[in-house]
Amino acid sequence: MANVVIVAGGWHGGCELTPFARRLRALGHDVFTPTLTGLGERVHLAAVRPNLDTHILDIANVLECEDLSDVVLCAHSYGGMVITGVADRMPERISALVYIDALVPEDGCSWWDLVNDHFRAIAIEGAGEDGLGVRPPAHMDPRCRPHPLASFLQKIRLTGRWQEVREKLFVYATGWADSPFPATVERLRRLADWRIEEMPTRHNVIAAAPDQFLAILTRLEAMRPFDRAL
């Protein structure tokens, strides 16, 4: 019914999204959970020193090589930087953007600019071993791997074309401390082409509340393409 691409957040690999992807596939959707360079099963590529541009290209190449259109492009946390860059390059392939407690950058912003002091401290402390990769915080999934520091620091370059995507959703997790997103949510609430859905859960929304997130996601117009044609 729909082409769904989900990008994991910082430190995470696509393998962690597999259980949720299976549920979407059981509903008839085509689902892709690509892993960003240097993370997950692609950790051996960390030596190429990936940055934000690398990660944007990772996902753009999936859309091009799979020849995907009408894509519901989703991302968690850091992944919001990535999908914004992808949508800015190819808005014609994307029918909806879903930010799952994720960063929504403007031109010239970096992850470092948009997070708060709590996360900057994690990056500084976690990069102390080699200055290249930020080790994952202790509470994370054991499959998490050091995240390329360059991708946290590089500023995104946007033309504004990503705003052409017709459906834009922000899923706001309100059940955790140290969230850097309150200001983002207030900004987006003032924009007519955005929808905000609040969930009283911790930051890793899909892991914490898969049933509730599935219900929100499947209410998107873009998840019902055949209905739109009637």
Side-chain angles (χ1 to χ4, degrees), residues 97 114 195:
L97 288 168
L114 295 175
R195 181 161 63 91

Side-chain angles (χ1 to χ4, degrees), residues 103-106 114 162 181-191 194 196:
L103 298 172
V104 185
E106 297 178 318
L114 295 175
W162 71 277
F181 300 116
T184 296
V185 171
E186 289 308 306
R187 171 168 61 91
L188 299 181
R189 286 192 194 279
R190 296 193 291 268
L191 302 177
W194 280 84
I196 311 295

Side-chain angles (χ1 to χ4, degrees), residues 6 40 43 61 73 76 95 143 153 158 182 187 202 228:
I6 312 176
V43 65
N61 282 345
L73 186 56
H76 175 241
S95 59
R143 293 170 291 182
L153 299 179
L158 302 170
R187 171 168 61 91
R202 63 183 187 270
R228 292 205 311 269

